[in-house]
């Protein structure tokens, strides 16, 4: 099973909205995400069948850009298991659930959750990968057991991949 992890793009500054959950992507955040997703598409990577996003606006907007630029026709879902403070096990349960239906999944979320989750897939309880804004990690999942989910990191693309 193929799993993509995508961190949301550059968002409005903290304090710019009444609630952190309401912060939107900036134009730069949208463009960097679009460029990165177009670059991955041009590399002939398999597009995800489903894109699952955190419910926060900036993550949903990032997911929309990813679908438009890389995953046209993908199913779109939202899950609290992708919020920044979510439990890693809940995210593993989410992946295991959707893997019953789809072979290629993209998760869109936040830091530090994306780095922690990606590192957990590699068997590390401390972060060993860093997910910059609009960064994309591609994993091949080798063990789908939600309590011991494991995989290997195929690629980690910084957002600047779109400008290379």
């Amino acid at each position: 099973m193929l799993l993509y992890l995508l961190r949301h793009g550059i968002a409005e500054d903290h304090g710019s909205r009444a609630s952190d959950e309401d912060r939107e992507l900036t134009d730069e955040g949208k463009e960097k995400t679009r460029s990165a997703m177009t670059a991955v598409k041009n590399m002939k990577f398999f597009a995800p069948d489903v894109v699952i996003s955190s419910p926060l606006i900036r993550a949903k907007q990032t997911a929309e850009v990813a679908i438009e630029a890389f995953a046209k026709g993908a199913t779109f879902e939202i899950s609290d298991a992708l919020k920044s403070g979510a439990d890693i096990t809940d995210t593993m349960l989410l992946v295991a659930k959707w893997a019953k239906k789809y072979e290629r999944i993209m998760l869109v979320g936040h830091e530090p959750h994306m780095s922690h989750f990606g590192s957990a897939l590699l068997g590390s309880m401390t972060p060993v990968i860093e997910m910059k804004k609009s960064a994309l990690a591609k994993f091949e999942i080798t063990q789908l057991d939600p309590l011991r989910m494991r995989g290997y990191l195929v690629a980690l693309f910084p957002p600047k991949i779109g400008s290379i």
Side-chain angles (χ1 to χ4, degrees), residues 35-104:
S35 293
M37 294 297 97
T38 300
V40 171
K41 179 181 179 180
N42 290 340
M43 286 184 252
K44 308 288 188 219
F45 278 41
F46 290 110
D49 304 307
V50 61
V51 176
I52 308 167
S53 173
S54 153
L56 277 63
I57 291 173
R58 58 191 178 274
K60 290 190 295 187
Q61 290 174 326
T62 300
E64 290 168 2
V65 171
I67 290 169
E68 173 194 316
F70 176 48
K72 285 193 184 338
T75 301
F76 179 66
E77 298 289 336
I78 294 173
S79 174
D80 285 343
L82 296 172
K83 284 185 170 181
S84 186
D87 187 272
I88 297 297
T89 304
D90 291 339
T91 308
M92 289 181 178
L93 287 165
L94 175 74
V95 171
K97 170 189 161 187
W98 285 100
K100 292 175 185 173
K101 186 172 181 180
Y102 297 107
E103 183 63 27
R104 296 181 300 271

Side-chain angles (χ1 to χ4, degrees), residues 23-36:
R23 290 192 303 131
E24 296 187 15
L25 289 184
T26 62
D27 289 341
E28 180 184 10
K30 290 176 186 174
E31 186 51 41
K32 282 191 175 186
T33 303
R34 184 174 291 102
S35 293

Side-chain angles (χ1 to χ4, degrees), residues 128-145:
V128 294
I129 63 170
E130 180 182 10
M131 298 287 296
K132 300 274 189 190
K133 291 178 182 169
S134 298
L136 180 74
K138 178 182 177 182
F139 287 86
E140 183 68 36
I141 302 300
T142 55
Q143 184 173 336
L144 262 173
D145 179 334

Side-chain angles (χ1 to χ4, degrees), residues 11-24:
E12 297 170 322
D13 291 335
H14 289 275
S16 63
R17 301 272 176 167
S19 168
D20 181 63
E21 293 189 4
D22 294 332
R23 290 192 303 131
E24 296 187 15

Side-chain angles (χ1 to χ4, degrees), residues 1 3 88-89 92 95 116-125 139-153:
M1 192 212 98
L3 179 66
I88 297 297
T89 304
M92 289 181 178
V95 171
H116 285 258
F117 180 66
S119 298
L121 292 174
L122 299 173
S124 176
M125 295 311 293
F139 287 86
E140 183 68 36
I141 302 300
T142 55
Q143 184 173 336
L144 262 173
D145 179 334
L147 300 179
R148 293 182 295 278
M149 188 173 289
R150 293 291 180 269
Y152 59 88
L153 182 62

